[in-house]
């Protein structure tokens, strides 16, 4: 079987996997739906962080700022303005995108480790600011009004269609939204990286000066990616806390839950590759299920695995798999003109 045939078969399997995932609320238990919801939302966060660090070279450790502000904006829309949670998800994305502008203004003046520290400090400032928002519980946080998630747009229809409780229908709705967001994020990322701007972004990652010499504006392109990934991360944060139903500064702006785990997922899967976060989140989920009962041992094992991958498989598990098999699920390389078959005149 040729590499092209292998890649085509892999894409077919991927499409079938998405279809099976879409059927989970119909054929699976509610516990499975909730578990996979968390997996899918972590995947969305990892895809966005991978776009930043793996392709734009922006190693941020402050992505929890956008998760948190997305969650707080959604809660504000529901509690203060009486919005339905679903349109309030968009409010969370817009709020995160707007927050990314001042953060970019300050952190883009920094490079390397200083940029990473700057993003973390920015996230801490936002966390402390949200702790002063008394209308949403201040430092202790608040919960969505009772019954809010059961009355969301679409829940009644899903309840009738599947013949389940309102709570299960709510879980199914948020699960399908998470699956949709993950697939859209992956496909949009692929199309963007295959575009002229995507090629410019990869050129910047490889050599900034060379990219600048051919007309690519590094600052403008990196800023665009920073703002767009903030939007996606904010959407995910809002969706996450619809499921959680309670928000607090410590939970919404957790550097461990929303950044450290996301970095682990991306690194072990394969940073700078699109399928890498997908592989990483599957490994993370399996480890979580196997080691969850061992307390701090779980975190130690995660750390050791991350170190081993960085030392002996720097391209991650997906990169290692691609090198050994030649299979590329979402190839980003373009064929050069001189390698394309020439057309005979008159045809």
């Amino acid at each position: 079987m040729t590499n092209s045939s292998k890649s085509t078969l892999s894409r077919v399997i991927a499409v079938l996997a998405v279809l099976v995932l879409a059927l989970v609320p119909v054929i699976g238990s509610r516990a499975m739906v909730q578990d996979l919801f968390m997996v899918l939302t972590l995947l969305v966060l990892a895809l966005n962080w991978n776009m930043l660090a793996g392709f734009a070279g922006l190693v941020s450790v402050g992505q929890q700022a956008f998760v948190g502000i997305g969650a707080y904006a959604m809660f504000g829309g529901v509690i203060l303005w009486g919005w339905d949670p679903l349109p309030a998800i968009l409010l969370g994305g817009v709020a995160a995108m707007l927050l990314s502008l001042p953060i970019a203004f300050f952190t883009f003046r920094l490079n390397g480790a200083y940029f990473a520290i700057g993003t973390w400090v920015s996230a801490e400032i936002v966390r402390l600011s949200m702790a002063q928002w008394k209308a949403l519980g201040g430092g202790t946080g608040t919960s969505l009004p009772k019954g809010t998630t059961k009355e969301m747009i679409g829940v009644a229809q899903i309840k009738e269609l599947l013949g389940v409780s309102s709570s299960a229908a709510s879980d199914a709705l948020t699960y399908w939204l998470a699956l949709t967001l993950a697939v859209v994020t992956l496909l949009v990322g692929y199309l963007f990286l295959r575009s002229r701007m995507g090629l410019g972004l990869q050129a910047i990652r490889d050599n900034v000066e060379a990219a600048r010499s051919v007309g690519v504006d590094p600052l403008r392109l990196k800023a665009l990616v920073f703002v767009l990934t903030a939007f996606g991360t904010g959407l995910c944060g809002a969706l996450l806390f619809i499921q959680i139903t309670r928000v607090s500064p410590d939970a919404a702006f957790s550097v461990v839950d929303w950044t450290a785990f996301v970095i682990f997922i991306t690194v072990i899967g394969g940073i700078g590759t699109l399928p890498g976060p997908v592989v990483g989140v599957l490994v993370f989920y399996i480890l979580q299920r196997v080691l969850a009962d061992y307390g701090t041992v779980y975190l130690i094992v995660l750390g050791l695995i991350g170190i081993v991958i960085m030392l002996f498989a720097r391209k991650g598990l997906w990169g290692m798999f691609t090198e050994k098999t030649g299979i590329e699920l979402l190839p980003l390389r373009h064929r050069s003109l001189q390698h394309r078959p020439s057309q005979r005149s008159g045809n």
Side-chain angles (χ1 to χ4, degrees):
M1 183 180 291
T2 64
N3 288 342
S4 177
S5 300
K6 291 178 182 178
S7 297
T8 301
L9 178 61
S10 298
R11 293 190 187 100
V12 171
I13 292 173
V15 171
L16 292 175
V18 172
L19 293 176
V20 171
L21 285 172
L23 291 174
V24 167
V26 180
I27 61 177
S29 66
R30 187 178 173 190
M32 180 183 291
V33 171
Q34 293 173 339
D35 284 348
L36 290 179
F37 170 83
M38 293 303 298
V39 170
L40 291 169
T41 49
L42 282 174
L43 174 58
V44 173
L45 296 178
L47 288 168
N48 281 286
W49 190 85
N50 185 44
M51 184 65 70
L52 270 183
F55 294 101
L58 298 170
V59 182
S60 169
V61 292
Q63 293 304 99
Q64 67 272 17
F66 305 124
V67 174
I69 200 68
Y72 266 90
M74 183 274 294
F75 267 70
V78 173
I79 294 175
L80 303 180
W81 303 318
W83 287 25
D84 185 90
L86 292 191
I89 292 174
L90 290 176
L91 182 63
V94 172
M97 185 169 62
L98 293 175
L99 175 65
S100 71
L101 298 177
I103 291 179
F105 178 79
F106 290 108
T107 57
F108 273 42
R109 300 168 185 267
L110 307 171
N111 293 309
Y114 296 103
F115 174 83
I117 294 170
T119 56
W120 174 73
V121 170
S122 299
E124 284 299 291
I125 292 171
V126 179
R127 180 182 68 83
L128 293 172
S129 299
M130 290 298 102
Q132 308 307 312
W133 196 354
K134 302 302 181 184
L136 292 181
T140 58
T142 189
S143 300
L144 288 173
K146 186 176 181 180
T148 298
T149 57
K150 297 178 182 180
E151 298 170 1
M152 287 190 299
I153 298 171
V155 168
Q157 290 78 7
I158 294 173
K159 177 183 177 181
E160 182 178 351
L161 179 65
L162 301 183
V164 295
S165 66
S166 296
S167 297
S170 174
D171 287 344
L173 177 59
T174 53
Y175 171 85
W176 280 325
L177 288 173
L179 178 60
T180 302
L181 186 56
V183 172
V184 169
T185 302
L186 184 61
L187 292 180
V188 169
Y190 175 69
L191 294 175
F192 175 78
L193 290 169
R194 293 279 295 178
S195 69
R196 285 176 61 96
M197 286 192 294
L199 288 174
L201 187 67
Q202 294 174 75
I204 293 169
R205 176 194 61 185
D206 296 336
N207 191 314
V208 175
E209 295 304 322
R212 188 180 283 116
S213 69
V214 294
V216 178
D217 186 342
L219 180 61
R220 184 177 179 181
L221 201 48
K222 285 186 176 184
L224 175 65
V225 172
F226 191 78
V227 170
L228 292 178
T229 54
F231 176 73
T233 303
L235 288 177
C236 189
L239 182 58
L240 266 166
F241 280 85
I242 286 179
Q243 176 77 335
I244 296 171
T245 71
R246 179 172 179 80
V247 72
S248 68
D250 289 342
F253 295 90
S254 170
V255 67
V256 174
D257 291 339
W258 315 130
T259 297
F261 285 159
V262 166
I263 292 174
F264 172 83
I265 287 168
T266 308
V267 168
I268 65 169
I271 189 169
T273 66
L274 283 176
V278 179
V279 175
V281 81
L282 291 175
V283 173
F284 178 78
Y285 175 68
I286 292 170
L287 291 173
Q288 194 177 48
R289 299 295 293 177
V290 172
L291 302 174
D293 295 332
Y294 294 94
T296 55
V297 174
Y298 160 61
L299 296 176
I300 294 171
V301 171
L302 289 183
L304 290 174
I305 291 174
I307 291 171
V308 170
I309 293 294
M310 286 186 284
L311 288 176
F312 302 105
R314 294 193 175 186
K315 294 183 179 179
L317 297 176
W318 179 257
M320 184 170 61
F321 173 78
T322 299
E323 286 183 350
K324 291 185 178 298
T325 64
I327 296 174
E328 291 187 76
L329 188 57
L330 294 171
L332 300 176
R333 290 178 296 180
H334 288 244
R335 293 176 61 189
S336 59
L337 290 173
Q338 58 265 34
H339 290 114
R340 292 178 183 173
S342 59
Q343 294 182 349
R344 294 182 179 180
S345 59
N347 288 349

